[in-house]
Amino acid sequence: MRLRLLGDSIAAGVGSTRQEDTLGPLLAARLRAAGHHVDLRVHAVPGARSADLKAQVRTAIAGGVDLAVIVIGANDLTRFVPAHVGAQQLHDAVADLRGAGAQVVVSTAPDLSVVAHVPPALRTIVSTVSRDYAQAQLQAVIRAGGVVAHVERAVSARFAADPALFAADRFHPSAAGYRVIAEALAPAVEAVLQA
């Protein structure tokens, strides 16, 4: 199975000190343990926004892809990309992958209010904006034939409560944080493979 990770720094593994503790290898290990032969490639780029998915999708399709996992949205939020714009770009990426025969699982924008750099007075509004952005992404992914893994629902409270889930930069996940995200992503990934 050709597993491809696309998206931003979280999909690329920024913050972890060991490659094997990042999302791609963690998901691949879980799938191998379930009996799948996995060829993993990570096309994600730190700092990527939804606008950057087009090039990543092109590369993934050119190399062959059976299952694409996309993690995107944080940089759209920090750069104030309008939700309808980013959602359309994500829709197009998912539609292109589906058109190439790939299953697609998307982890939408995280709740950035859990990041330590966000002042307490702004956390409610940042949480609302993050949630609204993720909702626009969800609708776009479903329209394009992809599946949304509700990672933010599963991990936001844990990241808010446990600073050890963040890397030294207090923005990206640590190795422990990546394990939490991978656990939240895995059920959706496994479900599309069984469909």
Side-chain angles (χ1 to χ4, degrees):
M1 180 195 5
R2 297 166 298 180
L3 171 63
R4 309 296 183 241
L5 259 71
L6 293 81
D8 56 24
S9 57
I10 293 176
V14 172
S16 177
T17 56
R18 298 183 334 147
Q19 183 65 30
E20 58 266 33
D21 291 328
T22 62
L23 277 188
L26 289 170
L27 289 172
R30 185 166 176 145
L31 294 174
R32 287 183 185 117
H36 297 280
H37 297 282
V38 180
D39 169 37
L40 169 66
R41 292 187 194 164
V42 178
H43 300 295
V45 177
R49 292 178 278 179
S50 296
D52 301 312
L53 287 173
K54 189 175 188 98
Q56 295 180 33
V57 167
R58 222 176 12 249
T59 302
I61 291 172
V65 54
D66 300 310
L67 172 60
V69 175
I70 302 174
V71 181
I72 199 77
N75 296 312
D76 291 347
L77 285 167
T78 61
R79 305 257 170 55
F80 305 105
V81 174
H84 71 277
V85 173
Q88 184 61 51
Q89 292 163 339
L90 177 57
H91 170 279
D92 295 346
V94 173
D96 288 348
L97 287 161
R98 294 291 290 140
Q103 295 289 342
V104 184
V105 175
V106 177
S107 175
T108 57
D111 182 350
L112 290 182
S113 71
V114 304
V115 175
H117 304 301
V118 175
L122 296 178
R123 287 194 178 139
T124 299
I125 190 161
V126 170
S127 182
T128 300
V129 170
S130 298
R131 191 170 46 251
D132 290 348
Y133 201 95
Q135 183 61 32
Q137 289 179 305
L138 180 146
Q139 293 169 358
V141 169
I142 291 170
R143 279 197 319 273
V147 172
V148 173
H150 296 284
V151 173
E152 75 290 341
R153 292 180 192 167
V155 306
S156 292
R158 292 180 70 180
F159 271 80
D162 187 356
L165 297 181
F166 286 97
D169 66 5
R170 298 186 306 153
F171 185 81
H172 294 97
S174 63
Y178 278 113
R179 284 193 293 277
V180 168
I181 295 169
E183 286 168 18
L185 253 173
V189 170
E190 291 163 347
V192 300
L193 292 177
Q194 294 164 3

